[in-house]
Every structure is written in C-alpha cells, then in structure tokens.
Amino acid sequence: QVELAESGGGLAHTGGSLRLSCGFLGNMFSMHVMGWYRQAPGKERESVALINPGGGTVYADSVKGRFTISRDIAKNTVYLQMNSLKPEDTAVYYCNARLIFGGSSSSDSWGQGTQVTVSS
C-alpha cells in the first residue's frame, strides 16, 4: 500500500516558479519510478517528468530546460521544480509511484492532485 500526498501548487505569473512536493507513505520508496503527470481541462493526462530508481530522469519535451524532478530518499519525497512557467503549464499535477515487478507487470499509485495555474 502506497499513499501519496502532493503540495505546493497554486497561482504563478508567466515566468514565475513553483515547487511541487510529493510525500510517499509506504515501503520501498527508492525502488519506485516516481513521476509527475498533469491534466489540463479537456485534455488527457500526460507525463511531465520521471525519475527512476537509479536516479535517471526523463522529461516531456514541453518542459525540458524549465522543470527539474528530484527526490530525497531520506525524506521519501519527490519534488518538481518548475521555472519559467507558461500559461500552458496550467493543469492539475499528479504524483505517481510505479513499482515494476518485471516484464510488463507493475503497480501504480496516484496522489489526489494539486492545481497549478499560470496567469499571463
């Protein structure tokens, strides 16, 4: 059982910054692929950034160079630093924890989401 709790969303102006945090309650935090996803009104949920157990990161093209995902294993927390925000970054941001068992088998846990709104 994994529980995730996001915080840090809110309102920012274009060009501003926000930092999202996701607290992980459960076991084997360091073994999970941690990710941030977002869903804008009328759009499908999309992957924003991932960090794998080895510390490698993957970013959506739309946020490369502006967003940084990181984690603090001692605190069981993953962060998303968002800089140079744009109105198109407005969305509900969700934290995801994925435990891969092998092959195509995995287990996903989601947070409740946090709203990020960027004004022009």
Side-chain angles (χ1 to χ4, degrees):
Q1 291 281 57
V2 171
E3 293 183 12
L4 303 171
E6 303 101 333
S7 61
L11 177 65
H13 295 294
T14 297
S17 298
L18 286 172
R19 189 176 82 153
L20 305 182
S21 299
C22 174
F24 176 106
L25 183 61
N27 295 319
M28 299 188 296
F29 171 70
S30 63
M31 300 296 290
H32 284 72
V33 177
M34 299 299 299
W36 288 98
Y37 292 71
R38 67 186 181 188
Q39 187 166 19
K43 295 188 177 181
E44 294 188 355
R45 190 174 298 189
E46 63 175 357
S47 175
V48 176
L50 304 173
I51 184 165
N52 65 35
T57 57
V58 178
Y59 295 94
D61 287 343
S62 59
V63 307
K64 281 181 182 176
R66 300 189 297 121
F67 290 11
T68 302
I69 188 171
S70 63
R71 62 182 180 176
D72 186 331
I73 293 176
K75 295 182 178 180
N76 277 15
T77 301
V78 64
Y79 304 97
L80 185 68
Q81 178 66 45
M82 305 186 293
N83 299 328
S84 301
L85 283 163
K86 304 176 181 180
E88 50 263 45
D89 295 319
T90 295
V92 177
Y93 283 70
Y94 296 91
C95 180
N96 170 267
R98 175 168 295 168
L99 185 63
I100 299 173
F101 300 112
S104 60
S105 178
S106 64
S107 174
D108 277 290
S109 300
W110 293 90
Q112 79 285 355
T114 185
Q115 177 70 46
V116 170
T117 302
V118 183
S119 63
S120 57

